[in-house]
């Protein structure tokens, strides 16, 4: 490159594209050297930004694709591994998401797909140096895990969330063969737990582990193997063990890894520990870098004090699994002088929650502790929520789950008044998931006024199609008030008796909405049409048991390609309607799942529509028909 | 007594089940108005605030679905398993939640017995929760004079009158509570030891 050439400003290049000018006009700007461009672009991480970059012009498209190291695939069927490989030659890290979210609720039959194996096969030839794989809702077999372990020499990080199809045998393969593994993160999977032997498969020569999370696995691992592993992995900074690891054992582990930044303990209860308690205390105090603490199963006042010194440095305390009495909690929080984030799961808090919340209130005022997430069982009732509202002004996320969701006897847990109490006390709420059995429009309107910052609002009135229990009116105005007041709303789940009016509101006001979940709602096709026409940023629409038919489905003809996916089950859509959609939009995969009974009534019982550059699925099981 | 008691419970369980409609929302919920809960007909109740009162005869109310709808409510099975695991037990010092039902009310409630120190407090709590009057217990006459009588199921599965045993014994043996109509509770008093 001639050093005398004036370096063009990036702005000039973008302008020239916007006006339709040829970006390579020699009269206008000089070319950016490719390697400089690649270097600059390599600093961009966000895949959305990278997408934008790639659209600027051909040079930028190429520079971007050569410099990309991580690819995020939100729907594994939207693209094929071959296409990914062809476009991005230098990938080191892949995030893949598979099944539609409603598979979490048993609406997707087994063997539906989202098998990771075809991906691994292609990657083994194209990305032999693949380092990271993060999977969510994918079908993963032990064979796949073995394949992964044996075909990617430099493989470093594996994260599995909500996946199924594998067992601890698959983990054995990973432990045995991945000589450079730095991360193994196993969370909330449908794993077949055959025992803890997998952990013993890490060879003695293996020393690279930095992150190990097996908190969600139930079987006992060999402590001897774990201790040896921890002692030789000098770079270990995140360790989250399962409940079987005792206090004595924890103490021994801490001896070997004083540099931990995040610790998830095992059980915190033991009859008698072997050494003096002071020694244990020192062990914790020696972990000077510890900023995150979780686990604490069964913690009692007998041993909890050992962590007090370490608490001073904690910025994040996750009490989701701890069972603490109020006095224990007081003491614990008293020592947490640097705490910024506190997670509670109130299944496990003791009675006299009011006292506990009083404590929290003091802590927030004195120390500025941010209680950021409460997960609550609705047993706590409205009184409990009142207390939350009165003591946690900085609360950002609240999730209230039903204690007995499938019990034949129906239990009235929290009501609208609890929700209103919380909203009054916690104006910073951004994320709410609320299961209840009664709600009113007026209450939700108040809540919307109190908390205009909602980004995620998921309200589940558990009896399908239930109206405002006081006025007997539909719950339209409730969600209307939410979408009007909460301009930042990204995710919305609606329930109760709802007419098309609700959808009219959503279409008109929810301009930032990306995900919408609908069940047992709407009066006609208009409902769905409103949403498809009005919600500019809609990415995922999942609908079940609504009276939306072909007209509604087809009204989204021009919309679906800008979305990740559409799910419709138990609606009024027919095969003909789906076929028409498929015909008009060849770049969409229109998949219909057949009923068990094999009813040939022309109805399309489960429809899954998504954009794809890979064409129809080649691995569709017999009950999935791609039109 | 048992038979009478059981029949009330059965009414509660089965009649609501037969009343189910799985029609799509938007269609009208035509629920017949029901006055009596003893005649074997279906029942209704209206609600005000967060309490549940019976015997109000105006509004209709669609009873909650008893049949399992696939994937509803949308609670992940992983979460469900966690719920089972983490149910607080007495031993851990956590709350002791028992189910509380009141005859005529479509919903159960739950109560944390650990927050109460005496029968007086418990009765007060029940009265507040269900907006009803229970009154005071007397050894001789039970809850005579009040419309509602609190009973509980003990470890052996027997239904006893609340207040007949010392408080601590009650706490350790109470499995669930039920507020009965006083007309149905006759004879329970004779179970007192």
């Amino acid at each position: 490159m001639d050093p005398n050439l004036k370096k063009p400003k990036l702005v000039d290049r973008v302008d020239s594209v916007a006006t339709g000018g040829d970006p390579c006009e020699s009269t206008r700007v000089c070319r950016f050297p490719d390697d400089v461009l690649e270097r600059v672009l390599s600093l961009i991480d966000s895949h959305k930004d990278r997408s934008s970059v790639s659209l600027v012009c051909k040079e930028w498209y190429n520079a971007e694709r050569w410099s990309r190291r991580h690819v995020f695939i939100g729907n594994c069927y939207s693209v094929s591994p071959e296409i990914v490989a062809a476009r991005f030659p230098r990938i080191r890290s892949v995030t893949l998401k598979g099944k539609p979210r409603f598979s979490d609720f048993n609406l997707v039959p087994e063997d539906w797909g989202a098998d990771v194996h075809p991906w691994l096969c292609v990657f083994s030839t194209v990305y032999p140096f693949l380092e990271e794989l993060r999977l969510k809702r994918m079908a993963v077999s032990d064979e796949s895990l073995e394949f992964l372990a044996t075909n990617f020499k430099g493989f470093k990080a594996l994260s599995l969330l909500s996946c199924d199809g594998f067992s601890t045998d698959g983990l054995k393969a990973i432990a045995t063969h991945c000589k450079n593994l730095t991360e193994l993160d196993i969370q909330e999977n449908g794993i077949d737990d055959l025992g803890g032997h997998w952990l013993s498969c890490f060879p003695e020569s293996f020393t690279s582990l930095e992150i190990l999370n097996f908190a969600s696995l139930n079987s006992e691992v060999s402590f001897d193997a774990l201790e040896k592993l921890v002692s030789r992995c000098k770079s270990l900074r995140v360790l989250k063990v399962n409940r079987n690891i005792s206090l004595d054992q924890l103490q021994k582990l801490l001896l070997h890894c004083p540099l931990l930044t995040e610790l998830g303990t095992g059980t915190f209860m033991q009859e008698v520990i072997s050494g003096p308690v002071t020694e244990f205390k020192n062990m914790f105090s020696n972990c000077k870098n510890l900023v995150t603490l979780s686990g604490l199963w069964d913690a009692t006042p007998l041993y909890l004090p050992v962590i007090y010194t370490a608490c001073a440095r904690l910025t994040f305390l996750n009490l989701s699994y701890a069972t603490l009495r109020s006095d224990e909690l007081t003491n614990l929080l008293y020592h947490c002088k640097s705490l910024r984030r506190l997670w509670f799961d109130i299944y496990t808090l003791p009675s006299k929650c009011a006292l506990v919340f009083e404590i929290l209130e003091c802590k927030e005022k004195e120390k500025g502790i941010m209680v950021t997430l409460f997960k609550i069982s609705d047993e706590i009732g409205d009184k409990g929520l009142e207390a939350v509202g009165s003591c946690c002004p900085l609360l950002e996320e609240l999730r209230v789950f039903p204690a007995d969701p499938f019990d034949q006897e129906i239990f009235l847990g929290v009501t609208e008044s609890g929700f209103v109490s919380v909203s009054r006390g916690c104006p910073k709420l951004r994320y709410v998931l609320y299961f209840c059995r009664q709600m009113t429009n007026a209450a939700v309107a108040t809540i919307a006024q109190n908390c205009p910052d909602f980004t995620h609002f998921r309200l589940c009135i558990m009896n399908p199609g239930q109206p405002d229990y006081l006025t007997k009116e539909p719950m339209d105005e409730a969600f209307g008030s939410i979408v009007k007041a909460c301009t930042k709303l990204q995710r919305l789940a609606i329930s109760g008796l709802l007419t098309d009016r609700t959808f009219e509101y959503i279409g008109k006001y929810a301009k930032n909405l990306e995900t919408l979940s609908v069940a047992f709602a709407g009066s006609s096709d208009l409902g769905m049409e409103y949403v498809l026409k009005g919600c500019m940023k809609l990415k995922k629409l999942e609908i079940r048991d609504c009276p939306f038919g072909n007209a509604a489905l087809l009204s989204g003809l021009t919309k679906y390609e800008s979305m990740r996916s559409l799910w419709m089950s138990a609606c009024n859509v027919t095969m003909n309607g789906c076929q028409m959609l498929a015909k008009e939009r060849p770049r969409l995969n229109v998949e219909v799942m057949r009923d068990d009974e094999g009813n040939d009534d022309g109805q399309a019982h489960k429809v899954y529509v998504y954009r794809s550059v890979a064409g129809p699925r080649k691995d569709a099981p017999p009950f999935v028909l791609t039109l | 007594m048992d038979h009478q008691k059981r029949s009330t419970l059965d009414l509660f369980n089965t009649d609501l089940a037969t009343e189910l409609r799985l029609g799509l929302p938007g269609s009208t919920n035509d629920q017949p108005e029901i006055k009596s809960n003893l005649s074997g007909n279906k029942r209704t109740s209206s609600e005000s605030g967060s309490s549940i009162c019976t015997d109000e005869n105006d509004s209709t109310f669609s009873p909650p679905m008893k049949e399992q709808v696939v994937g509803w409510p949308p609670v992940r099975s992983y979460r469900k398993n966690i719920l089972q695991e983490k149910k607080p037990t007495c031993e851990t010092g956590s709350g002791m939640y028992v189910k509380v039902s009141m005859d005529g009310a479509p919903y159960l409630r739950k109560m944390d017995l650990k927050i109460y120190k005496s029968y007086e407090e418990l009765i007060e709590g029940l009265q507040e929760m269900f907006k009803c009057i229970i009154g005071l217990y007397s050894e001789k006459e039970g809850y005579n004079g009040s419309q509602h009588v609190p009973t509980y199921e003990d470890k052996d599965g027997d239904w006893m009158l609340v207040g007949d045993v010392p408080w601590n014994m009650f706490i350790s043996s109470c499995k669930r509570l039920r507020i009965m109509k006083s007309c149905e509770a006759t004879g329970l008093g004779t179970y007192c030891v």
Side-chain angles (χ1 to χ4, degrees):
Chain A
M1 284 300 301
D2 185 341
N4 294 324
L5 280 173
K6 191 173 128 194
K7 266 216 172 109
K9 286 185 293 192
L10 286 176
V11 168
D12 283 350
R13 293 198 66 93
V14 174
D15 278 351
S16 72
V17 170
T19 56
D22 179 356
C24 297
E25 264 178 1
S26 48
T27 50
R28 191 160 163 75
V29 292
C30 302
R31 293 183 54 180
F32 230 179
D34 283 345
D35 45 348
V36 174
L37 186 57
E38 257 182 67
R39 180 74 187 95
V40 169
L41 294 183
S42 68
L43 300 172
I44 298 177
D45 283 331
S46 148
H47 61 270
K48 285 194 178 122
D49 287 343
R50 279 185 163 270
S51 255
S52 311
V53 161
S54 68
L55 294 171
V56 171
C57 66
K58 227 175 188 170
E59 272 81 9
W60 282 44
Y61 176 87
N62 277 319
E64 192 282 310
R65 74 184 191 95
W66 278 95
S67 66
R68 196 184 291 218
R69 295 287 171 269
H70 170 246
V71 67
F72 169 86
I73 299 161
N75 173 6
C76 65
Y77 288 118
S78 63
V79 70
S80 73
E82 290 85 2
I83 294 174
V84 173
R87 178 171 170 188
F88 300 115
R90 293 213 202 129
I91 293 296
R92 293 288 163 120
S93 163
V94 176
T95 302
L96 255 183
K97 292 186 179 181
K99 301 183 195 176
R101 196 180 74 94
F102 274 179
S103 70
D104 285 351
F105 314 121
N106 304 322
L107 286 178
V108 176
E110 278 187 42
D111 308 326
W112 176 82
D115 189 354
V116 75
H117 206 84
W119 291 86
L120 295 177
C121 289
V122 173
F123 288 167
S124 65
T125 39
V126 185
Y127 306 136
F129 303 114
L130 187 70
E131 292 176 356
E132 294 183 8
L133 191 61
R134 298 180 194 283
L135 305 179
K136 183 171 182 181
R137 282 196 203 98
M138 296 289 294
V140 180
S141 67
D142 288 342
E143 289 70 37
S144 294
L145 290 176
E146 180 150 8
F147 185 88
L148 174 65
T150 49
N151 283 280
F152 297 88
K153 298 296 167 216
F155 190 72
K156 289 189 177 164
L158 178 64
S159 163
L160 300 174
L161 175 61
S162 303
C163 297
D164 66 331
F166 65 106
S167 76
T168 40
D169 283 350
L171 298 185
K172 273 189 198 168
I174 298 289
T176 309
H177 301 291
C178 296
K179 306 206 183 321
N180 298 303
L181 198 69
T182 57
E183 175 177 347
L184 184 59
D185 186 6
I186 312 292
Q187 289 187 54
E188 292 189 24
N189 298 290
I191 181 175
D192 202 359
D193 194 339
L194 303 169
H197 320 288
W198 59 273
L199 192 110
S200 309
C201 292
F202 284 108
E204 289 194 14
S205 52
F206 172 77
T207 59
S208 50
L209 204 58
E210 295 172 24
I211 297 173
L212 177 62
N213 177 4
F214 64 97
S216 69
L217 294 180
N218 291 325
S219 310
E220 212 173 308
V221 299
S222 150
F223 178 70
D224 190 54
L226 178 61
E227 190 180 5
K228 290 201 174 105
L229 176 68
V230 165
S231 71
R232 60 179 190 266
C233 294
K234 306 287 182 210
S235 305
L236 193 69
R237 47 190 173 81
V238 175
L239 177 64
K240 295 182 184 172
V241 301
N242 67 14
R243 199 175 183 175
N244 296 312
I245 299 296
S246 72
L247 278 178
D248 269 340
Q249 292 172 334
L250 182 67
Q251 197 175 340
K252 293 195 185 128
L253 291 177
L254 290 180
L255 204 69
H256 298 294
C257 47
L259 297 177
L260 279 184
T261 58
E262 294 182 32
L263 173 66
T265 73
T267 178
F268 231 73
M269 177 158 82
Q270 193 166 317
E271 283 292 314
V272 185
I273 56 171
S274 50
V277 174
T278 39
E279 217 173 272
F280 201 173
K281 219 182 267 195
N282 291 334
M283 213 67 69
F284 262 102
S285 315
N286 280 341
C287 296
K288 304 271 185 230
N289 297 339
L290 198 65
V291 288
T292 296
L293 186 62
S294 61
L296 299 174
W297 276 289
D298 324 305
T300 65
L302 202 50
Y303 299 118
L304 204 55
V306 305
I307 66 172
Y308 286 169
T309 331
C311 280
R313 286 183 284 264
L314 290 182
T315 56
F316 175 25
L317 180 58
N318 181 354
L319 293 178
S320 294
Y321 299 107
T323 316
L324 300 176
R325 293 201 321 256
S326 40
D327 51 333
E328 296 159 17
L329 186 60
T330 321
N331 291 331
L332 185 57
L333 290 182
Y334 173 76
H335 288 92
C336 296
K337 302 188 193 293
S338 316
L339 206 63
R340 304 306 329 147
R341 273 197 301 158
L342 180 61
W343 285 13
F344 268 116
D345 195 327
I346 302 190
Y347 296 101
T348 55
L349 273 188
S351 54
K352 304 245 171 169
C353 283
L355 180 58
V356 170
F357 296 135
E358 233 177 82
I359 296 158
L360 287 179
E361 183 180 21
C362 294
K363 293 307 143 199
E364 279 213 2
K365 287 189 179 140
E366 289 169 34
K367 319 278 183 195
I369 291 175
M370 267 208 269
V371 182
T372 56
L373 168 62
F374 265 120
K375 287 191 216 170
I376 300 182
S377 162
D378 64 353
E379 281 172 339
I380 221 80
D382 289 337
K383 277 258 177 301
L385 288 182
E386 243 177 75
V388 170
S390 68
C391 78
C392 304
L394 301 176
L395 190 67
E396 295 174 0
E397 293 187 37
L398 176 67
R399 298 171 212 224
V400 182
F401 292 97
D404 296 306
F406 306 108
D407 204 333
Q408 276 297 94
E409 290 180 297
I410 300 200
F411 151 65
L412 183 73
V414 295
T415 71
E416 77 283 3
S417 95
F419 202 165
V420 171
S421 309
V422 175
S423 73
R424 234 180 252 132
C426 310
K428 293 198 169 201
L429 275 179
R430 326 173 268 107
Y431 188 124
V432 166
L433 169 60
Y434 200 83
F435 283 86
C436 60
R437 297 206 180 266
Q438 66 188 46
M439 190 49 61
T440 66
N441 288 309
V444 180
T446 307
I447 291 159
Q449 288 294 318
N450 292 337
C451 303
D453 291 338
F454 279 133
T455 58
H456 296 65
F457 188 85
R458 302 162 66 191
L459 176 60
C460 181
I461 301 167
M462 289 168 69
N463 188 25
Q466 183 173 299
D468 177 321
Y469 81 96
L470 287 181
T471 65
K472 307 304 175 196
E473 282 170 12
M475 295 297 298
D476 298 336
E477 294 309 311
F479 295 103
S481 51
I482 289 288
V483 294
K484 281 179 204 163
C486 308
T487 53
K488 301 182 213 163
L489 199 67
Q490 290 170 26
R491 183 170 176 187
L492 180 63
I494 62 181
S495 58
L497 179 65
L498 299 172
T499 71
D500 291 340
R501 186 106 207 166
T502 302
F503 300 97
E504 199 184 340
Y505 284 136
I506 295 173
K508 187 166 176 200
Y509 294 101
K511 293 306 179 189
N512 283 317
L513 195 66
E514 295 180 11
T515 305
L516 178 62
S517 307
V518 185
F520 304 100
S523 349
S524 76
D525 287 335
L526 275 181
M528 188 169 160
E529 287 173 25
Y530 284 132
V531 169
L532 289 170
K533 281 203 196 90
C535 297
M536 307 277 83
K537 294 199 185 168
L538 195 65
K539 292 268 165 296
K540 287 182 278 187
L541 181 56
E542 40 185 37
I543 302 173
R544 62 167 291 180
D545 295 276
C546 297
F548 304 139
N550 294 336
L553 177 70
L554 294 169
S555 72
L557 215 57
T558 51
K559 176 93 180 154
Y560 300 131
E561 277 171 30
S562 68
M563 289 169 54
R564 185 184 292 178
S565 65
L566 165 73
W567 168 283
M568 286 178 81
S569 59
C571 297
N572 282 345
V573 174
T574 69
M575 293 297 285
N576 285 338
C578 294
Q579 249 137 15
M580 201 172 306
L581 177 62
K583 184 162 163 243
E584 292 297 317
R585 284 284 178 267
R587 287 195 298 188
L588 295 177
N589 278 356
V590 180
E591 293 179 6
V592 176
M593 267 177 262
R594 265 193 271 262
D595 234 358
D596 280 344
E597 297 101 62
N599 265 336
D600 210 4
D601 54 356
Q603 291 293 111
H605 298 276
K606 284 183 184 160
V607 182
Y608 186 47
V609 179
Y610 55 91
R611 64 182 172 192
S612 178
V613 296
R617 286 172 59 177
K618 297 192 185 67
D619 65 348
F623 57 84
V624 173
L625 188 64
T626 308
L627 300 175
Chain B
M1 179 61 222
D2 269 334
H3 169 72
Q4 219 181 340
K5 188 167 26 80
R6 192 158 294 118
S7 68
T8 317
L9 281 175
D10 280 349
L11 279 176
F12 175 52
N13 284 325
T14 59
D15 282 354
L16 285 177
T18 58
E19 200 175 5
L20 284 177
R21 291 179 69 248
L22 288 179
L24 289 171
S27 47
T28 52
N29 276 317
D30 302 316
Q31 301 300 339
E33 291 196 19
I34 296 118
K35 310 285 193 250
S36 152
N37 62 3
L38 288 176
S39 57
N41 288 340
K42 307 163 209 169
R43 59 191 62 197
T44 190
S45 80
S46 72
E47 299 163 41
S48 53
S50 56
S51 69
I52 297 156
C53 305
T54 56
D55 301 323
E56 263 162 276
N57 53 14
D58 44 343
S59 28
T60 55
F61 168 72
S62 62
M65 263 184 166
K66 288 293 187 63
E67 239 175 67
Q68 300 278 10
V69 177
V70 175
W72 192 263
V75 178
R76 290 181 56 199
S77 47
Y78 183 81
R79 179 99 215 155
K80 244 197 305 166
N81 296 335
I82 304 261
L83 286 177
Q84 305 310 330
E85 253 181 61
K86 293 200 290 190
K87 277 264 188 270
T89 59
C90 306
E91 296 84 54
T92 59
S94 300
M96 184 190 154
Y97 287 103
V98 297
K99 292 180 179 176
V100 189
S101 61
M102 180 158 100
D103 290 356
Y107 291 135
L108 290 185
R109 308 302 293 270
K110 280 194 189 176
M111 211 166 209
D112 181 5
L113 289 184
K114 285 228 158 166
I115 65 177
Y116 301 112
K117 289 282 177 309
S118 69
Y119 281 121
E120 284 78 33
E121 286 183 19
L122 172 66
I123 302 291
E124 220 177 278
L126 284 173
Q127 291 182 149
E128 207 195 303
M129 186 179 266
F130 288 99
K131 300 287 187 285
C132 61
I133 314 266
I134 294 173
L136 290 171
Y137 172 75
S138 83
E139 265 198 53
K140 286 199 201 122
E141 297 181 9
Y143 290 92
N144 266 355
S146 63
Q147 287 203 324
H148 303 278
V149 176
T151 66
Y152 71 100
E153 186 183 7
D154 70 4
K155 275 193 189 136
D156 305 320
D158 295 324
W159 285 90
M160 315 283 278
L161 202 59
V162 167
D164 57 350
V165 300
W167 175 255
N168 287 330
M169 201 187 293
F170 165 73
I171 283 289
S172 62
S173 64
C174 174
K175 289 274 157 282
R176 76 182 272 166
L177 288 164
R178 179 183 159 200
I179 301 176
M180 296 176 75
K181 297 265 172 178
S182 57
C183 47
E184 291 180 37
T186 49
L188 260 189
T190 60
Y191 284 3
C192 293
V193 170

